[in-house]
Amino acid sequence: MQGHDLPEQLTAFLARNERELIGFRRDLHMHPELAFAEHRTTGRIAERLRAAGLQPKILPVGTGLVCDIGSGPGPVVALRADIDALPLTDEKDGTPYRSTVPGVAHACGHDVHTTVLLAAGLFLAQQERAGALPGRVRLLFQPAEELPGGAVEVVKAGAMEGVDRVFALHCDPRLPVGKVGLRSGGITAACDQLLVRLSGPGGHTARPHLTADLVYALGKIVTELPAALSRLVDPRAGFSLVWGRVSAGSAPNVVPDDAVAEGTVRCLDDEAWHEAPDIVKGLVESVASVYGARPEVTYRRGVPPTINEATSIEIMREATARALGQEAVASTSQSLGGEDFAWYLEHAPGALARLGTHSPDRDGPMLDLHRGTFDADERAIGIGTRFAATTALTALWEASRPGERVDSEAMA
């Protein structure tokens, strides 16, 4: 059986390198950088890869990088990690590796993702030198996931050319450390931004019939659109419109001539996501016309829904069982959060997994994502490294043996 001693090799690799990897993650955590400004982070990753004899290539946008392991013929598997931080204040008092950058923090675990991918890359480079890599692995250290836009830049740079499968993981504080959450099909939602601006003749509130009552019209749009969408879109699509800002007027007795509403549109279904802009614009125009308001709709695409491909999930399941034991495999639910990993799936089949980071043996509340208190149990670095490296190798073995499936029970 191929790679029968892989778990032992990973154990030995982590025994030699885990302390360095934890230090690397803490360094990133202390020096977080926002989207498309990850210059120090990119430099640190490139420096460590070059020290291992690899040749990373920084993306044309100036941050993020791509690095191939192996150069011969055979299948190509890509592993992706996002490297940017969030514009949040780190609120972890007393933590020695707390952010040193005011108003910026790794509050989503991207420092963990980056360290896991670096570690997996170093291990796979070791495998390649030993002649045990049946193909190539492409490391994608992506900038600007939170913006989003970084995935589009990676694709634009040609990094998905020739890739047969692509994989990623994301920290999940709902899962205990040691678990990997898997789900076939939709795992994250499309997330777009909607801006509705109404204009029309304003005037005195004593004579609303001489105005286009934009406040009333906007109120109708804000309340009626979500309900109308639930009847025009298949409810299984998980379509959701939620408003975040509504603004109109400056005085109680004046009908304004301008009104604005902004919100987000989220969707779990790819077909519904492609139809969403036309449906939303049509509804806004229909409601606004009743009140004589002139609508201007700006629909900004964010990210598509992430739909995990079934075979890729089976590869992840087999890899998890082999690297960590069958008990590490956990099911996970769909989320209405957005994830720009979906752009890679436009170019190759693949899947996104969730990496448990919660410490069930420690007191205190769960440290949720996108909060200034977020932190990860650092045991997740070793877990993620085992998972990522084994997933890449399993995918390469699968691709190298057409028509033959890996025996998942034998691999466990």
Side-chain angles (χ1 to χ4, degrees):
M1 186 195 338
Q2 287 172 309
H4 63 278
D5 59 346
L6 182 59
E8 291 77 16
Q9 292 179 27
L10 279 161
T11 296
F13 171 83
L14 289 168
R16 294 192 304 271
N17 295 286
E18 197 158 22
R19 180 173 294 184
E20 177 201 348
L21 294 170
I22 289 173
F24 189 90
R25 180 258 170 168
R26 292 186 176 190
D27 178 73
L28 296 185
H29 203 86
M30 292 174 66
H31 302 93
E33 296 172 301
L34 296 175
F36 292 125
E38 312 96 331
H39 297 285
R40 182 185 185 277
T41 302
T42 299
R44 292 279 288 115
I45 299 165
E47 177 185 36
R48 186 63 185 86
L49 292 171
R50 291 191 190 106
L54 298 171
Q55 298 180 329
K57 298 178 181 177
I58 295 175
L59 295 174
V61 290
T63 63
L65 58 88
V66 175
C67 184
D68 276 8
I69 302 170
S71 57
V76 179
V77 170
L79 300 176
R80 171 269 204 172
D82 33 16
I83 68 175
D84 57 324
L86 283 161
L88 291 174
T89 297
D90 192 332
E91 299 173 2
K92 297 189 297 296
D93 292 332
T95 303
Y97 50 87
R98 180 181 177 180
S99 172
T100 61
V101 183
V104 183
H106 270 296
C108 199
H110 293 189
D111 53 335
V112 174
H113 307 166
T114 300
T115 305
V116 164
L117 183 56
L118 173 66
L122 296 176
F123 176 78
L124 292 168
Q126 174 182 297
Q127 295 295 103
E128 197 271 336
R129 289 192 296 271
L133 195 67
R136 283 183 287 154
V137 176
R138 183 165 296 161
L139 310 179
L140 309 177
F141 290 92
Q142 178 206 307
E145 189 275 333
E146 297 289 357
L147 196 58
V152 175
E153 293 297 332
V154 173
V155 172
K156 191 188 300 183
M160 287 299 292
E161 293 176 6
V163 171
D164 295 286
R165 289 194 187 277
V166 58
F167 299 95
L169 52 74
H170 198 293
C171 289
D172 187 348
R174 297 168 301 176
L175 285 175
V177 67
K179 297 287 187 180
V180 175
L182 302 176
R183 180 187 180 87
S184 182
I187 188 167
T188 65
C191 183
D192 301 333
Q193 292 185 7
L194 173 65
L195 185 149
V196 176
R197 184 178 296 278
L198 301 182
S199 60
H204 203 290
T205 57
R207 293 175 288 280
H209 58 292
L210 301 179
T211 72
D213 191 344
L214 300 189
V215 174
Y216 192 84
L218 190 66
K220 284 289 187 179
I221 288 171
V222 167
T223 55
E224 290 186 7
L225 247 66
L229 286 167
S230 71
R231 296 298 180 267
L232 293 175
V233 178
D234 188 329
R236 292 171 297 182
F239 205 97
S240 170
L241 167 58
V242 178
W243 302 103
R245 183 174 83 93
V246 178
S247 176
S250 59
N253 62 342
V254 177
V255 176
D257 57 12
D258 184 75
V260 174
E262 289 185 278
T264 58
V265 178
R266 299 177 187 270
C267 181
L268 295 171
D269 180 78
D270 191 64
E271 182 178 351
W273 179 69
H274 281 93
E275 297 172 350
D278 290 339
I279 294 174
V280 169
K281 289 176 183 178
L283 284 172
V284 170
E285 291 168 0
S286 175
V287 175
S289 66
V290 174
Y291 304 98
R294 294 188 298 272
E296 179 185 341
V297 180
T298 303
Y299 195 104
R300 299 188 185 92
R301 282 296 198 195
V303 295
T306 299
I307 311 295
N308 283 342
E309 189 245 356
T311 300
S312 297
I313 282 293
E314 282 307 303
I315 289 171
M316 282 181 154
R317 193 182 309 278
E318 293 163 358
T320 304
R322 177 174 191 135
L324 303 166
Q326 189 63 47
E327 67 279 4
V329 179
S331 61
T332 190
S333 59
Q334 281 183 302
S335 165
L336 282 175
E339 165 60 74
D340 74 357
F341 179 71
W343 290 118
Y344 299 108
L345 300 182
E346 302 263 318
H347 301 271
L352 170 76
R354 292 188 171 131
L355 177 67
T357 59
H358 178 54
S359 303
D361 55 341
R362 295 180 183 176
D363 295 332
M366 183 182 73
L367 303 173
D368 202 4
L369 300 173
H370 286 221
R371 295 181 62 180
T373 55
F374 173 75
D375 201 358
D377 186 318
E378 290 178 322
R379 289 175 292 181
I381 294 172
I383 298 294
T385 300
R386 293 175 186 272
F387 166 76
T390 307
T391 294
L393 287 167
T394 302
L396 290 176
W397 292 331
E398 288 270 286
S400 300
R401 298 184 298 175
E404 183 179 349
R405 288 289 300 153
V406 174
D407 183 347
S408 59
E409 291 186 2
M411 292 183 66

